[in-house]
């Protein structure tokens, strides 16, 4: 008996057609990958108005990736490059003999402070420093983000998800835990 | 006489200095600039460094994944139905575990992709990449023709369970049937929770995946312990997750009912020795016939058949039945 | 019995348990105290400690995976009985009595039997026809079967005719005309064993030993297969006996392994 005349063959053909139809529909709709991103306008750490509160580190603790996929990222174009950076130094700590706070803010020592150009010891306020965040050490705890915004900073540091580390889970655990619903899914082009 | 005021003066200065230092522990910080200095105001040939924006995995790597999935299934079909070799199938299983399991960390898996496909069909605003659609559809298409070739040697979750099977017991038929219904319940629940609106949507399969913690080498302790429990159980009951809980396995079982080819038991002459039924750890041989929808493509039946398999007397050509076909 | 597989699986198993214990301990004592109010030096120390713990856990995780793989390999070797191999032909052509072991290619080329024994028993039992059965029993006990040459010698030495010998030896099941194997396998075909699949066991044993149709001994003359009536242990059906050792609750798969007890 020819295969396509049997009931089984007919059923198989039907299922194949359904699968093909569904696949075609989904492929037509596909517009590339959708990834998770942190909305800086909602995140407690970077949102204006939240000052003097403990930085929220749910991005670090909730992510399933071993050392979180979230990093603090410094937008160099917006950075003040100040001598005493409130995100680099812990400005509530005692002042040392150089006139700088003695303690650094980052618990993992992930921010590097590099002078730009020549350093003038007589005029410290007019020296510029580049603050570079080492993404191998940063775990997205958000302390620097919390400090670098009005009134202390210019808000150049935000928390961002790094896509070479993010697994792009369906159930992003950070998204589920975030009290401000600050994580959203965007197409890759918009999210970067 | 002039010493006393001097000493007093010194003491006063000391006191004032001490008080000053006690109070002025931290600097009263004020932001020195109101706007970010631009390159020209910094001068000296300074250029603003670019902010790194790491991209997700390249598109061609996604294609590689889809091709690897198809190739692995093709190899699985050939190894089980044509070569009937357990040795090579085990090699394929280990390879799949290494690539789809530990390297790709078990994500995207076809089991989870069924949720994404369901959401994409239900929610007009949600779309999935082509790789996810392919990952969902390809094993089903193979199942329509050849049976659960995906389960045998390709699925990473199945592979890790397959490798821990040590001394499997035969689960009584009624219990096997009853437990097998659980996977359809799970399938229904997974679909139900996936089609909810975006804020209440829950991906159950991702949440309750017992083995992803091993693949990521990281995870909540209770999930790792649950996964470990499944593996220890799997040493004595063959592939419990695959047979009783896997929702995608439920879909594959439905498709396998329509398959034309698949694992068959018997050469032309039925020997009736029952060695294959004893060797099958997944209860897929009943009354000397293969139950294809339960068959997980492990080829143990072929390996134990005296006419056909790797048993010594078959290899030595000592058994020769008239008309014993391949 | 500490075979290599057992030692290996013990070592690998303990390594797995050790790695799991290390990971659990690391998780339990992990420093979760809030960071905020500590001096910078201690913050650095705790950070370094956390980084060290992360890399240590990563390494232990890989060791755990490797140890688990090793454990499974050894345990599989332990659990799976090695597939039985059919007995191979022996090296020597004949044993001390001249009874040939190995395939009887052509009877004419069989090595010489030691026939002095026949002369001895004829002297012992007498030459008359009434001694036929004791003589045959003695020959069977000595050579383990009734060789043609010995029977011919018997006819020469006594008054028993070849026809009488043929009749007597074929009447009683105890007498064998072809060499028996070293071990006699008796498969019970009593009622309980019959319904429990004694036929399949016998067929599988015949296949395994490559016993040609019509014969009951394998080519290497190691095992002779015999279907017997009830052995009297019906609750263990199906049953076989190998040289006095009984094996019960068999299946075609395990029956072949029961032969290994003696081989």
């Amino acid at each position: 008996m020819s295969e396509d005349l049997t009931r089984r063959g007919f059923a198989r053909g039907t299922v194949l057609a359904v699968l093909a139809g569904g696949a075609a529909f989904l492929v037509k709709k596909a517009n590339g990958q959708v990834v998770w991103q942190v909305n800086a306008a909602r995140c407690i750490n970077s949102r204006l108005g939240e000052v003097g509160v403990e930085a929220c580190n749910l991005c670090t603790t909730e992510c399933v990736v071993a050392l979180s996929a979230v990093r603090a990222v410094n937008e160099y174009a917006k950075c003040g490059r100040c001598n005493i950076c409130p995100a680099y130094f812990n400005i509530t700590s005692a002042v040392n003999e150089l006139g700088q706070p003695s303690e650094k803010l980052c618990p993992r020592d992930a921010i590097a402070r590099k002078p730009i150009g020549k350093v003038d010891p007589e005029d410290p306020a007019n020296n510029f420093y580049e603050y570079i965040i080492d993404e191998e050490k940063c775990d997205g705890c958000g302390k620097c983000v919390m400090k670098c915004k009005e009134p202390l900073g210019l808000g150049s540091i935000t928390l961002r998800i790094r896509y070479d580390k993010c697994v792009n889970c369906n159930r992003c655990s950070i998204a589920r835990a975030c009290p401000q619903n600050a994580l959203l899914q965007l197409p890759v082009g918009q999210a970067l | 006489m002039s010493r006393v005021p001097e000493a007093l003066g010194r003491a006063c200065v000391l006191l004032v200095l001490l008080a000053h230092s006690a109070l002025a522990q931290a600097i009263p910080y004020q932001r020195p600039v109101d706007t970010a200095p631009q390159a020209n105001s910094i001068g000296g040939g300074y250029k603003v460094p670019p902010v790194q924006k790491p991209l997700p995995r390249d598109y061609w790597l996604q294609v590689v994944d889809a091709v690897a999935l198809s190739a692995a299934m093709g190899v699985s079909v050939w190894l089980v139905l044509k070569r009937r070799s357990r040795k090579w199938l085990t090699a394929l299983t280990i390879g799949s575990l290494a690539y789809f399991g530990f390297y790709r960390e078990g994500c995207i898996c076809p089991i989870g992709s069924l949720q994404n496909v369901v959401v994409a069909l239900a929610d007009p605003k949600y779309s999935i990449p082509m790789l996810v659609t392919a990952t969902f559809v390809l094993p089903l298409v193979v199942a329509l023709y050849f049976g659960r070739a995906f389960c045998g040697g390709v699925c990473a979750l199945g592979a890790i369970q397959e490798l821990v099977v040590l001394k499997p017991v035969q689960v009584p038929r009624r219990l096997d049937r009853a437990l097998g219904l659980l996977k359809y319940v799970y399938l229904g629940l997974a679909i139900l929770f996936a089609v909810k609106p975006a804020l209440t949507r829950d991906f159950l399969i991702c949440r309750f995946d017992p083995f992803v913690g091993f693949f990521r080498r990281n995870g909540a302790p209770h999930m790792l312990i649950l996964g470990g429990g499944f593996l220890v159980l799997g040493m004595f009951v063959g592939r419990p997750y695959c047979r009783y809980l896997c929702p995608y396995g439920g879909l594959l079982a439905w498709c396998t009912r329509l398959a034309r080819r698949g694992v068959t038991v018997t050469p032309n002459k039925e020997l009736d020795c029952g060695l294959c039924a004893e060797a099958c750890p997944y209860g897929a041989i009943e009354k000397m016939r293969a139950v294809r929808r339960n068959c997980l493509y492990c080829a143990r039946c072929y390996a134990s058949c005296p006419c056909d398999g790797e048993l010594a007397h078959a290899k030595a050509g000592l058994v020769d039945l008239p008309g014993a076909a391949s | 019995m500490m075979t290599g597989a057992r030692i290996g699986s013990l070592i690998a198993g303990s390594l797995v348990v050790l790695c799991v214990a290390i990971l659990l301990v690391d998780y339990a004592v992990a420093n979760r105290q809030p960071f905020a109010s500590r001096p910078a030096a201690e913050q650095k120390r705790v950070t370094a400690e956390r980084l060290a713990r992360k890399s240590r856990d990563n390494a232990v995780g890989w060791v755990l995976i490797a140890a688990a793989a090793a454990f499974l390999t050894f345990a599989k070797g332990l659990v799976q009985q090695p597939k039985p191999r059919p007995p191979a032909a022996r090296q020597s052509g004949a044993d001390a009595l001249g009874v040939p072991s190995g395939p009887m290619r052509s009877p004419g080329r069989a090595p010489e039997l030691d026939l002095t024994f026949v002369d001895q028993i004829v002297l012992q039992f007498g030459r008359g026809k009434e001694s036929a059965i004791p003589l045959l029993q003695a020959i069977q006990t000595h050579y383990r079967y009734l060789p043609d040459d010995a029977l011919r010698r018997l006819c020469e030495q006594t008054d028993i005719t070849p026809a009488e010998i043929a009749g007597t030896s074929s009447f009683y099941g105890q007498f064998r005309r072809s060499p028996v194997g070293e071990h006699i396998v008796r498969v019970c075909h009593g009622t309980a064993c019959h319904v429990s699949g004694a036929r399949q066991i016998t067929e599988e044993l015949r296949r395994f030993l490559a016993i040609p149709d019509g014969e009951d001994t394998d080519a290497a003359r190691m095992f002779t297969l015999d279907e017997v009536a009830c052995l009297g242990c019906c609750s263990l059906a199906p049953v076989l006996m190998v040289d006095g050792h009984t094996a019960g609750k068999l299946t075609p798969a395990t029956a072949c392994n029961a032969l290994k007890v003696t081989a």
Side-chain angles (χ1 to χ4, degrees):
Chain A
M1 184 189 312
S2 150
E3 183 53 42
D4 36 3
L5 288 181
T6 62
R7 260 191 307 190
R8 188 190 289 184
F10 177 75
R12 194 183 318 132
T14 314
V15 173
L16 264 180
V18 167
L19 281 177
F25 170 69
L26 289 172
V27 164
K28 211 157 91 94
K29 216 164 80 139
N31 64 352
Q33 226 175 345
V34 161
V35 290
W36 291 98
Q37 188 50 277
V38 179
N39 184 355
R42 299 186 83 153
C43 172
I44 294 178
N45 294 329
S46 42
R47 199 161 74 180
L48 297 177
E50 308 266 356
V51 188
V53 298
E54 185 86 23
C56 167
N57 70 341
L58 286 173
C59 283
T60 309
T61 55
E62 297 298 315
C63 185
V64 297
V65 176
L67 186 67
S68 186
V70 178
R71 297 284 181 271
V73 176
N74 187 11
E75 288 243 25
Y76 299 112
K78 294 186 192 163
C79 176
R81 301 184 189 79
C82 312
N83 179 18
I84 310 287
C85 172
Y88 181 78
F89 291 109
N90 180 1
I91 53 174
T92 60
S93 62
V95 182
N96 65 7
E97 61 275 4
L98 294 173
Q100 295 170 343
S102 49
E103 291 177 9
K104 289 190 205 159
L105 187 67
C106 178
R108 296 176 65 109
D109 197 19
I111 310 184
R113 180 174 182 258
K114 291 198 169 65
I116 303 176
K118 282 179 57 164
V119 174
D120 187 358
E122 313 286 314
D123 187 12
N126 265 332
N127 291 323
F128 294 111
Y129 294 86
E130 199 77 84
Y131 292 95
I132 301 169
I133 301 178
D134 181 358
E135 299 210 350
E136 300 296 311
K137 290 190 187 156
C138 174
D139 67 354
C141 72
K143 290 187 166 58
C144 53
V145 183
M146 176 63 88
K147 293 289 185 206
C148 173
K149 59 185 185 199
E150 304 280 335
L152 297 173
L154 291 172
S156 65
I157 307 184
T158 51
L159 285 176
R160 288 209 201 154
I161 295 179
R162 300 322 239 167
Y163 300 121
D164 54 341
K165 297 177 175 53
C166 174
V167 184
N168 208 9
C169 302
N170 283 331
R171 266 185 102 248
C172 179
S173 353
I174 313 177
R176 298 187 66 76
C178 180
Q180 304 296 321
N181 272 330
L183 264 85
L184 64 156
Q185 282 186 300
L186 296 170
V188 172
Q190 294 176 25
L192 281 172
Chain B
M1 209 49 170
S2 59
R3 283 229 176 129
V4 173
E6 220 182 318
L8 261 178
R10 266 196 219 130
C12 283
V13 170
L14 261 173
L15 265 173
V16 167
L17 277 175
L18 268 174
H20 207 64
S21 67
L23 289 172
Q25 277 301 312
I27 51 171
Y29 182 76
Q30 267 190 321
R31 197 171 67 189
V33 293
D34 276 331
T35 54
Q38 297 308 309
N40 44 16
S41 60
I42 299 176
Y46 173 77
K47 283 194 178 45
V48 177
V51 179
Q52 295 297 319
K53 298 191 181 199
L55 285 172
R57 255 179 134 234
D58 279 333
Y59 183 68
W60 69 271
L61 281 172
Q62 296 185 13
V63 173
V64 162
D65 274 348
V67 166
L69 184 67
S70 323
M73 283 196 289
V75 170
S76 173
V77 167
W78 179 70
L79 281 178
V80 172
L81 295 186
K82 272 272 172 275
R83 278 292 300 270
R84 297 181 173 177
S85 162
R86 258 203 71 67
K87 187 175 66 164
W88 284 108
L89 191 69
T90 309
L92 174 70
T93 306
I94 294 176
S96 294
L97 181 63
Y99 182 71
F100 294 112
F102 288 109
Y103 178 63
R104 299 291 295 124
E105 295 189 345
C107 191
I108 313 165
C109 73
I111 312 175
S113 72
L114 95 88
Q115 304 166 117
N116 293 69
V117 164
V118 161
V119 176
L121 288 171
D123 185 350
K125 292 198 285 290
Y126 188 90
S127 64
I128 52 178
M130 290 193 265
L131 171 68
V132 177
T133 312
T135 313
F136 175 71
V137 165
L138 284 171
L140 289 176
V141 168
V142 172
L144 279 176
Y145 284 95
F146 296 108
R148 291 170 80 160
F150 171 70
C151 299
V154 184
C155 177
L157 287 81
I160 200 173
Q161 293 174 80
E162 175 78 35
L163 292 175
V164 301
V165 173
L166 279 184
K167 210 165 166 52
V169 304
Q170 299 283 352
V171 177
R173 184 129 320 127
R174 287 236 184 109
L175 185 62
D176 196 58
R177 288 270 153 81
L179 288 175
L181 292 177
L182 278 179
K183 56 183 190 280
Y184 296 108
V185 171
Y186 195 7
L187 176 67
L189 283 175
I191 294 180
L192 198 68
F193 276 83
V195 297
K196 286 186 170 189
L199 289 177
T200 49
R201 189 176 290 158
D202 194 3
F203 291 93
L204 281 188
I205 299 176
C206 297
R207 186 170 4 167
F208 294 117
D209 185 345
F211 305 112
V212 72
F214 297 122
F215 298 145
R216 289 184 182 148
R217 278 99 58 207
N218 178 40
H222 63 277
M223 286 311 292
L224 284 171
I225 290 177
L226 181 71
F230 262 103
L231 288 181
V232 169
L233 178 67
M235 290 186 195
F236 306 108
V237 176
R239 285 171 79 163
Y241 182 84
C242 301
R243 290 157 78 188
Y244 306 132
L245 284 175
C246 180
Y248 195 67
L251 291 178
L252 288 173
W254 279 343
C255 289
T256 311
R257 280 174 197 259
L258 305 174
R260 194 167 113 202
R261 305 179 71 106
V263 168
T264 50
V265 173
T266 75
N268 287 353
K269 180 164 182 242
E270 175 57 66
L271 277 190
D272 201 18
C273 60
L275 288 171
C276 53
E278 241 185 79
C280 177
Y282 310 128
I285 299 186
E286 286 174 25
K287 297 202 184 84
M288 297 305 155
R289 291 291 178 270
V291 179
R292 283 199 191 135
R293 60 180 187 281
N294 291 344
C295 170
L296 296 178
Y297 260 68
C298 72
R300 281 183 177 87
C301 51
Y302 291 137
S304 65
C305 179
C307 302
D308 196 346
E310 294 168 346
L311 276 185
H313 39 293
K315 272 276 160 63
L318 295 173
V319 181
D320 182 30
L321 288 186
S326 64
Chain C
M1 189 189 27
M2 292 305 265
T3 57
R6 239 180 230 216
I7 298 175
S9 58
L10 270 176
I11 295 178
S14 352
L15 200 56
V16 167
V17 172
L18 181 70
C19 290
V20 170
I22 292 178
L23 290 171
L24 281 174
V25 163
D26 261 348
Y27 177 73
V29 304
N31 213 324
R32 268 179 253 282
Q33 304 304 321
F35 236 62
S37 49
R38 295 193 201 182
E42 196 184 326
Q43 282 191 355
K44 271 206 180 147
R45 187 188 59 81
V46 175
T47 300
E49 190 185 296
R50 282 189 191 168
L51 280 171
R53 182 170 66 87
K54 276 263 183 304
S55 57
R56 185 173 63 234
D57 281 352
N58 202 22
V60 169
W62 280 114
V63 169
L64 173 66
I65 290 172
F71 172 73
L72 284 170
T73 318
F74 285 121
K76 280 217 176 122
L78 269 184
V79 159
Q80 261 174 9
Q81 294 164 326
K83 297 199 193 88
R85 307 223 144 252
R90 291 210 286 180
Q91 295 303 322
S92 57
D95 62 7
L97 295 173
V99 175
S101 61
M104 295 269 278
R105 297 239 147 58
S106 46
R109 297 184 50 133
E112 285 297 310
L113 274 180
D114 178 18
L115 293 175
T116 55
F117 176 75
V118 179
D119 302 335
Q120 284 168 12
I121 53 168
V122 170
L123 284 174
Q124 186 183 344
F125 287 110
R127 302 186 54 197
K129 288 181 198 282
E130 66 280 1
S131 315
I133 288 182
L135 284 167
L136 288 175
Q137 280 178 327
I139 293 177
Q140 165 101 356
T141 308
H142 186 80
Y143 295 106
R144 299 202 318 269
Y145 74 119
L146 299 177
D148 286 344
D149 291 341
L151 293 179
R152 245 175 256 124
R153 182 61 163 246
L154 193 66
C155 290
E156 289 167 16
Q157 300 278 339
T158 62
D159 300 330
I160 310 172
T161 65
E164 282 162 354
I165 289 186
T168 311
S169 63
S170 57
F171 182 79
Y172 295 105
Q174 186 196 39
F175 294 127
R176 300 180 50 90
R177 293 303 300 273
S178 58
V180 76
E182 272 194 41
H183 309 283
I184 301 187
V185 179
R186 298 188 181 87
V187 183
C188 174
H189 275 248
T191 317
C193 295
H194 177 76
V195 301
S196 305
R199 179 181 65 85
Q200 283 88 338
I201 291 182
T202 309
E203 283 176 6
E204 179 60 25
L205 283 173
R206 291 189 74 95
R207 271 195 298 272
F208 173 65
L209 295 169
I211 298 174
D213 285 340
E215 293 188 24
D216 60 0
T217 308
D218 65 328
R221 300 271 180 260
M222 292 285 289
F223 293 99
T224 297
L225 200 60
D226 216 1
E227 296 177 20
V228 297
C230 182
L231 288 173
C233 37
C234 305
S235 56
L236 299 174
V239 166
L240 63 79
M241 267 182 83
V242 187
D243 284 349
H245 171 88
T246 311
K249 291 201 193 291
L250 296 172
T251 61
T254 55
C256 305
N257 289 326
L259 299 181
K260 279 191 331 188
V261 177
T262 52

